[in-house]
């Protein structure tokens, strides 16, 4: 089963991506150029990624005392990806980019995530370089970002510390000016960093000739103390190997040392590291302290980093989605070929009859249809958000601002909803295979293990929920939520004119009303502790309402050719979501609207 028909339908039939060619930035593009990119990425994923997904799971990265060793397949895949030009796909022509719409870039990267998310395809490198293009100096862009876009160097984001995971206000990494004249370094104000960073993906490897770490650290005040909270956090470029202003390696190693490799449940093909900055293992110019170059203004580092984190969150949502899709495709193929059981007739089962394939059983169809509804729905949501990114960057001022507001509200959903429900899809894929699904002889257990990370990294599930209810739906007097409601109402109005979709439109309207009322009720006392105690159930209900809207909007296109097998499948998935999934929001919103204190008030000693 191929992913490509789904990608083509969403890009061309639903989102009308070729219309972006009417805009100046994308004037050289058409469906023909988009198809060429998709063809190339689909081929590389098929040849360089998919055959080695199990290999990189079983041959974990290891440290030989001098360097981290990865399978040759990982080196080959990284090289093929860099040579494809996808690292700089969305960048300007004059720096080697393709000026490709982000929507097409995201869709093309979906092939790699589905083939082997564990090998990776440069999400952190691209995000790192994009941040520098936004906030770096001209020379920082030239030396660091452009070398990342070319694939010569790679990038990381270094936020968490052993004692400070999600609580970034507690980071303790220090940055002090590196001697007299530190402000005048051509690569940016030069500091020496000391501290530890934990959970750093791709933090140490030999895939590229250098690694560009973007590191959050605090500059001490006049008394030598770190400023409490996030106000004192600054952002620094800390290369693994020292470079000169011409972008050439000097031959000197920066004082960044691997302290350990983390051994993970899944996603094992990518190194995950504990890094020590400035411990003195690799002194620079005879002194301990990792050399870092300030990005932007002192104390404004977190705002810069969030530019990268929002991109990463959409990327995580797409990765979770494609793992869900991988499990769906694998379990569908198995169900079509596995004989088990016999059909039920008026007199029961006849053991003399031949066995039926398990796809003929209603409960197996339920599990497959759920996976389809979760996976294809999440993919539509992520590509819709990618389309909003293109709107934000290339549309007129009013449309761009609307896209910005919608992204503020939808980004927590784009990250968290696939992370939860495509993980559930992976669980259902294991269930379809039965005992075989629980073995390593089939890939579905690996998909589940790989996907379990996505509710944790780039902002945990609970943090996404508090961000949504505590900030995003309230910001700018609720304009983002209001705009989203208007988009939903437009879809509902069109669906009301289609008899087979009219009931769905009515149910979506009821769900939207419930979400709106629960939002108001949660904040009716004005007490954040009460409002946010049930933020996760709120996000679950909000997400299900968004996905119901997405499916209804997709169904409006699918029903114009309702006799094709693919569109019968899409309409069935839409119907499944409205019948089996959307009704769940009532229980979730009940505890939100009542500000139910059951969890918050549970005494610690009673657990």
């Amino acid at each position: 089963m191929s992913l490509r028909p789904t990608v083509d339908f969403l890009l061309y039939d639903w989102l009308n991506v070729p219309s972006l060619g009417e805009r100046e930035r994308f004037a050289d593009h058409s469906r023909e150029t988009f198809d060429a990119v998709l063809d190339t990425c689909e081929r590389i994923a098929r040849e360089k990624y998919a055959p080695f997904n199990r290999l990189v799971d079983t041959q974990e990265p290891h440290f030989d005392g001098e360097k981290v060793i990865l399978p040759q397949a990982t080196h080959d895949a990284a090289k093929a990806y860099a040579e494809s030009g996808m690292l700089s796909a969305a960048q300007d022509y004059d720096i080697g980019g393709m000026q490709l719409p982000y929507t097409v870039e995201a869709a093309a990267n979906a092939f790699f995530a589905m083939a082997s998310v564990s090998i990776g395809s440069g999400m952190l490198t691209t995000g790192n370089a994009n941040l520098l293009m936004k906030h770096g100096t001209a020379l920082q862009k030239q030396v660091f970002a452009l070398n990342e876009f070319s694939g010569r160097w790679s990038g990381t984001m270094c936020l968490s510390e052993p004692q400070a995971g999600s609580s970034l206000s507690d980071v303790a990494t220090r940055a002090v000016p590196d001697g007299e004249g530190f402000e005048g370094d051509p690569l940016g104000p030069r500091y020496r960093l000391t501290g530890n960073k934990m959970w750093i993906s791709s933090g140490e490897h030999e895939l590229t000739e250098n690694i560009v770490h973007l590191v959050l650290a605090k500059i001490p005040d006049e008394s030598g103390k770190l400023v409490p909270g996030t106000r004192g956090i600054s952002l620094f470029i800390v290369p693994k190997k020292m470079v000169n202003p011409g972008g050439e390696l000097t031959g000197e190693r920066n004082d960044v040392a691997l302290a350990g490799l983390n051994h993970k449940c899944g996603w094992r093909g990518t190194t995950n590291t504990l890094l020590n900055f400035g411990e003195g293992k690799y002194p620079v110019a005879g002194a301990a302290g990792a050399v870092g170059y300030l990005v932007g203004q002192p104390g404004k580092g977190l705002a810069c980093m969030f530019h990268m984190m929002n991109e990463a969150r959409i990327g995580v949502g797409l990765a979770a989605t494609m793992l869900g899709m991988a499990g769906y495709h694998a379990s569908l193929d198995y169900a079509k070929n596995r004989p088990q059981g016999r059909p039920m007739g008026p007199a029961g089962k006849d053991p003399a009859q031949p066995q039926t394939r398990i796809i003929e059983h209603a409960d197996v169809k339920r599990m497959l249809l759920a996976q389809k509804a979760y996976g294809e729905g999440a993919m539509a949501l992520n590509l819709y958000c990618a389309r909003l990114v293109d709107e934000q960057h290339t549309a007129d001022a009013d449309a761009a601002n609307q896209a910005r507001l919608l992204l503020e509200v939808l980004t927590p959903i784009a990250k968290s909803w696939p992370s939860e429900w495509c993980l559930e899809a992976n669980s259902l894929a294991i269930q379809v295979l039965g005992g075989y699904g629980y073995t390593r002889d089939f890939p579905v257990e690996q998909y589940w293990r790989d996907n379990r990370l996505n509710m944790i990294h780039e902002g945990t599930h609970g943090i996404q929920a508090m961000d949504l209810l505590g900030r995003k739906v309230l910001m700018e007097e609720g304009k983002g939520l209001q705009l989203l409601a208007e988009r939903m109402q437009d879809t509902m109005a069109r669906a009301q004119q289609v008899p087979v979709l009219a009931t769905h439109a009515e149910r979506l309207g009821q769900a939207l009303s419930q979400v709106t009322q629960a939002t108001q009720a949660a904040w009716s006392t004005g007490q954040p502790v009460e409002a946010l105690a049930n933020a996760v159930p709120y996000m679950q209900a909000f997400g299900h309402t968004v996905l119901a809207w997405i499916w209804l909007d997709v169904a409006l296109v699918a029903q114009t050719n309702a006799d094709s097998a693919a569109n019968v499948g899409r309409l069935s998935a839409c119907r499944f979501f409205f019948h089996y999934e959307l009704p769940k929001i009532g229980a979730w919103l009940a505890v939100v609207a009542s500000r139910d204190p059951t969890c918050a008030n549970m005494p610690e000693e009673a657990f």
Side-chain angles (χ1 to χ4, degrees):
M1 184 177 181
S2 172
L3 176 67
R4 186 61 178 273
T6 301
V7 171
D8 286 349
F9 171 84
L10 293 174
L11 289 182
Y12 302 136
D13 298 333
W14 182 51
L15 292 174
N16 191 22
V17 168
S19 67
L20 288 171
E22 299 169 7
R23 298 183 182 176
E24 181 180 357
R25 179 167 184 80
F26 308 128
D28 293 336
H29 287 295
S30 63
R31 175 161 183 172
E32 183 179 5
T33 60
F34 298 155
D35 278 343
V37 171
L38 297 174
D39 289 344
T40 298
C41 292
E42 188 176 19
R43 177 184 54 79
I44 295 172
R46 183 176 62 249
E47 295 175 357
K48 300 293 186 180
Y49 283 70
F52 307 104
N53 190 45
R54 177 62 78 184
L55 174 74
V56 298
D57 183 63
T58 56
Q59 295 184 16
E60 290 188 67
H62 66 277
F63 184 57
D64 70 355
E66 294 184 6
K67 58 182 180 290
V68 171
I69 306 299
L70 290 164
Q72 183 60 41
T74 303
H75 289 262
D76 294 342
K79 183 173 183 286
Y81 186 83
E83 289 176 349
S84 75
M86 285 300 294
L87 287 167
S88 59
Q91 299 304 311
D92 294 347
Y93 292 134
D94 60 9
I95 62 168
M98 303 182 202
Q99 293 189 192
L100 197 68
Y102 179 62
T103 315
V104 179
E105 179 188 0
N109 278 324
F111 293 110
F112 300 104
M114 187 169 175
S116 181
V117 73
S118 186
I119 290 178
S121 59
M123 178 183 78
L124 289 174
T125 296
T126 300
N128 179 310
N130 285 343
L131 182 152
L132 293 176
M133 294 301 290
K134 175 80 172 178
H135 300 287
T137 65
L139 195 58
Q140 287 173 346
K141 296 174 187 178
Q142 181 70 33
V143 171
F144 298 106
L146 296 195
N147 275 311
E148 290 182 87
F149 284 136
S150 73
R152 181 185 170 203
W153 299 348
S154 57
T156 73
M157 53 192 295
C158 300
L159 290 80
S160 298
E161 299 179 1
Q163 84 293 341
S166 299
S167 181
L168 294 178
S169 61
D170 295 314
V171 299
T173 299
R174 303 168 67 93
V176 298
D178 186 21
E180 190 173 340
F182 77 97
E183 310 100 321
D185 194 294
L187 292 175
R190 190 180 64 253
Y191 288 74
R192 293 280 185 148
L193 278 69
T194 54
N196 316 102
K197 291 295 179 177
M198 185 62 161
W199 313 120
I200 309 308
S201 293
S202 301
E204 180 60 45
H205 55 74
E206 302 296 321
L207 295 173
T208 54
E209 69 175 41
N210 204 1
I211 302 174
V212 180
H213 301 292
L214 285 178
V215 184
L216 291 182
K218 290 185 176 181
I219 302 171
D221 61 17
E222 296 81 0
S223 65
K225 295 181 180 179
L226 299 182
V227 178
T230 59
R231 291 181 299 107
I233 296 177
S234 300
L235 180 63
F236 300 88
I237 299 168
V238 183
K240 172 184 172 180
K241 299 175 182 178
M242 298 300 293
V243 303
N244 63 29
E248 301 163 325
L249 300 182
T250 66
E252 189 173 22
R253 175 80 183 256
N254 202 355
D255 198 7
V256 183
L258 176 69
L261 291 171
N262 296 310
H263 300 285
K264 301 167 290 178
C265 169
W267 215 307
R268 294 173 176 172
T270 301
T271 58
N272 190 271
T273 62
L274 168 62
L275 298 178
N276 290 345
F277 290 81
E279 69 175 1
K281 184 173 182 178
Y282 303 105
V284 179
V291 173
Y293 307 99
L294 182 68
V295 178
Q297 297 300 312
K300 304 294 184 183
L302 203 55
C304 294
M305 187 63 91
F306 268 108
H307 179 89
M308 182 178 183
M309 289 172 69
N310 283 333
E311 284 185 25
R313 285 170 177 172
I314 294 174
V316 167
L318 189 60
T321 296
M322 301 323 298
L323 284 164
M325 291 290 284
Y328 167 54
H329 283 202
S331 62
L332 176 59
D333 180 68
Y334 182 89
K336 287 179 175 180
N337 292 285
R338 170 67 167 169
Q340 195 80 185
R342 288 166 177 81
M344 182 74 72
K349 296 181 180 180
D350 181 359
Q353 293 293 315
Q355 287 187 320
T356 60
R357 295 167 304 131
I358 63 173
I359 196 171
E360 297 177 57
H361 299 304
D363 192 55
V364 173
K365 289 184 177 181
R366 174 189 63 82
M367 292 187 285
L368 292 170
L369 197 48
Q371 291 178 69
K372 182 180 181 69
Y374 298 153
E376 292 185 14
M379 190 173 187
L381 169 63
N382 277 281
L383 292 180
Y384 181 84
C385 288
R387 185 71 160 79
L388 289 176
V389 172
D390 286 324
E391 290 295 307
Q392 186 178 4
H393 292 161
T394 63
D396 62 67
D398 183 57
N401 188 54
Q402 289 189 23
R404 176 189 64 83
L405 286 167
L406 285 167
L407 279 169
E408 291 283 5
V409 175
L410 288 175
T411 295
I413 303 301
K415 190 272 180 184
S416 64
W417 197 92
S419 297
E420 179 173 5
W421 295 100
C422 289
L423 180 69
E424 173 61 16
N426 290 141
S427 181
L428 289 170
I430 293 172
Q431 191 69 26
V432 169
L433 271 69
Y436 289 108
Y438 198 60
T439 70
R440 293 193 178 187
D441 297 318
F442 290 85
V444 288
E445 60 83 27
Q446 183 185 342
Y447 296 144
W448 188 94
R449 286 188 289 107
D450 286 346
N451 216 348
R452 190 57 189 85
L453 173 64
N454 290 314
M455 287 177 67
I456 300 171
H457 70 158
E458 310 306 341
T460 65
H461 218 52
I463 286 174
Q464 299 297 327
M466 289 190 287
D467 183 45
L468 177 67
L469 180 56
R471 195 165 70 91
K472 296 299 180 64
V473 298
L474 304 177
M475 64 183 293
E476 299 184 34
E477 299 179 339
K479 287 181 181 177
L481 180 58
Q482 180 183 348
L483 186 58
L484 179 61
E486 290 172 1
R487 295 286 175 102
M488 290 185 179
Q489 287 159 355
D490 174 71
T491 298
M492 286 185 271
R494 289 183 286 121
Q496 289 281 7
Q497 308 305 312
V498 182
V500 295
L501 301 179
T503 301
H504 297 339
E506 182 180 346
R507 289 178 177 174
L508 178 59
Q510 293 167 353
L512 177 59
S513 178
Q514 286 178 271
V515 169
T516 302
Q517 291 170 13
T519 306
Q520 295 168 346
W523 285 104
S524 61
T525 64
Q527 299 297 319
V529 172
E530 293 182 8
L532 299 178
N534 295 294
V536 167
Y538 176 84
M539 183 173 67
Q540 289 171 315
F542 195 106
H544 261 51
T545 303
V546 167
L547 265 292
W549 163 57
I550 290 288
W551 265 119
L552 186 59
D553 208 72
V554 166
L556 280 166
V557 177
Q559 63 85 33
T560 61
N561 182 21
D563 293 333
S564 75
N567 283 334
V568 168
R570 294 181 183 108
L571 292 169
S572 296
C574 176
R575 185 162 60 252
F576 174 90
F577 201 88
F578 275 88
H579 289 184
Y580 288 76
E581 294 294 329
L582 190 59
K584 294 176 180 177
I585 73 168
W588 290 324
L589 291 176
V591 295
V592 176
S594 64
R595 300 178 302 284
D596 191 305
T598 300
C599 299
N601 289 352
M602 177 71 169
E604 180 180 337
E605 61 274 13
F607 280 101

